[in-house]
Amino acid sequence: MSAIFPRCLLLLLALCLAACTTVPIPPATVVPIVQPPRPAPRIALALGGGAARGFAHIGVIKALEAQGIQLDIIACTSAGAAVGALYAAGNNGFELQMIALQMQESEVSDWSLPDRGIFKGDALQNFINRAVNNRSLEKLKRQIGVVATDLHSGEMIVFRTGNTGMAVRASSSVPGVFQPVSINGREYVDGGLVSPVPVRVARAMGADFVIAVDISAKPQYGKTESSIDVWLQSFAIMQQSVSRNELGEANVVVRPSLPDIKRTDFQDRNIAILAGEQAVAAILPELKAKLQALREAP
């Protein structure tokens, strides 16, 4: 009996050890670390003022769309505000061109007895509102900021909500040419007085990359034969000085060549649109390289 017990104990121990060696040990679970996708850079278009020269903005938009460049934010002043609002409403470049070519100058001009301006501006406001189906700024398809100048304080105001046509009218009201626009008890005039090409507004709206479009009339091409010519020439000189520093903050500046197109000339729309397309083609290698570098930056 005494000899059997140790043998049984050894046998039991051997069975236990054998059982232990045959139980598989599951491998450690490796949980992969998944990096969240990097958000695409938000690209803004800063559209400057220049009256009838603003048709060049349409060519710029057409050319950018042809390259598949998605524009998320529109910051705009004066003539740029008119094009910017129509674009933010969902019209592509070709649709903008059709609107421009079909537009009659009388649709946006309403002469008045001189009363702080020779145009009232109601016609422009109504034209824009019809074109955007009376949608307010905040209900347009793209984020938009429309720049105007507070006539009494001289401060810049950026309209991002409210009546689209009225905001464009305020932004486009060149002093002495258009009557000031009254909104909520304040009067506003052309945004080009404070931000001819609103690059900083685009940055404040969240842009990572800003494409600025400068269509300002260069003083060396200006005419000074009438009172209006003198005023517009003075305005061009002032805008050139104001915009110099702000344009330096854009990632890319597009400058359509428009030496023969005056601010008051609505006849050469196709020429201005083509100039916009050509200007984008000229800076396209730089634009693509900078966008690629931004997308690949750590």
Side-chain angles (χ1 to χ4, degrees):
M1 182 70 179
S2 59
I4 297 174
F5 181 75
R7 290 196 199 100
C8 292
L9 185 60
L10 289 172
L11 180 60
L12 181 61
L13 181 59
L15 290 173
C16 289
L17 290 173
C20 290
T21 57
T22 58
V23 175
I25 299 174
T29 302
V30 179
V31 179
I33 299 175
V34 179
Q35 295 290 344
R38 185 175 180 179
R42 302 190 74 207
I43 303 174
L45 194 60
L47 301 177
R53 300 161 65 89
F55 292 111
H57 289 317
I58 297 173
V60 170
I61 290 170
K62 284 180 63 182
L64 293 175
E65 286 183 336
Q67 295 299 319
I69 296 174
Q70 175 67 39
L71 300 168
D72 307 292
I73 297 169
I74 310 298
C76 44
T77 292
S78 199
V83 175
L86 297 177
Y87 183 54
N91 295 290
N92 62 33
F94 286 99
E95 289 167 336
L96 291 175
Q97 183 169 349
M98 290 300 298
I99 292 171
L101 296 180
Q102 293 171 3
M103 182 187 73
Q104 300 298 316
E105 189 173 350
S106 59
E107 291 183 273
V108 295
S109 302
D110 46 4
W111 292 88
S112 170
L113 292 174
D115 178 17
R116 300 193 297 168
I118 57 177
F119 294 109
K120 291 185 291 183
D122 289 331
L124 174 61
Q125 177 177 325
N126 294 335
F127 175 83
I128 295 295
N129 278 335
R130 285 195 303 271
V132 302
N133 294 318
N134 292 308
R135 282 174 288 171
S136 57
L137 291 168
E138 68 273 19
K139 292 184 179 179
L140 301 181
K141 294 185 178 181
R142 284 183 173 84
Q143 185 180 353
I144 184 171
V146 179
V147 178
T149 305
D150 187 309
L151 181 59
H152 300 286
S153 68
E155 295 177 342
M156 179 175 68
I157 179 72
V158 181
F159 293 106
R160 298 185 61 181
T161 62
N163 187 304
T164 299
M166 185 173 287
V168 171
R169 174 185 175 186
S171 182
S172 306
S173 292
V174 178
V177 178
F178 282 89
Q179 297 172 8
V181 179
S182 179
I183 303 175
N184 296 327
R186 305 290 295 182
E187 288 191 310
Y188 298 97
V189 291
D190 197 293
L193 290 167
V194 288
S195 186
V197 187
V199 175
R200 290 172 187 157
V201 170
R203 295 285 186 200
M205 292 172 66
D208 302 304
F209 192 95
V210 180
I211 303 169
V213 187
D214 179 15
I215 57 165
S216 59
K218 301 301 180 277
Q220 61 265 37
Y221 301 123
K223 299 185 182 299
T224 56
E225 297 169 1
S226 68
S227 297
I228 291 293
D229 286 341
V230 170
W231 167 236
L232 292 177
Q233 174 76 344
S234 302
F235 199 69
I237 294 169
M238 181 273 300
Q239 284 188 314
Q240 187 177 60
S241 177
V242 171
S243 66
R244 190 172 292 119
N245 290 335
E246 192 165 0
L247 281 172
E249 298 178 21
N251 296 89
V252 173
V253 180
V254 183
R255 291 186 171 92
S257 178
L258 304 163
D260 299 323
I261 299 180
K262 298 194 298 182
R263 296 170 61 97
T264 55
D265 186 0
F266 281 76
Q267 303 308 312
D268 293 327
R269 302 171 210 186
N270 271 324
I271 295 174
I273 293 170
L274 179 60
E277 295 181 62
Q278 292 171 335
V280 171
I283 57 90
L284 195 55
E286 175 193 2
L287 173 59
K288 286 187 172 181
K290 288 185 174 181
L291 275 174
Q292 186 67 21
L294 177 62
R295 288 171 178 143
E296 294 177 352

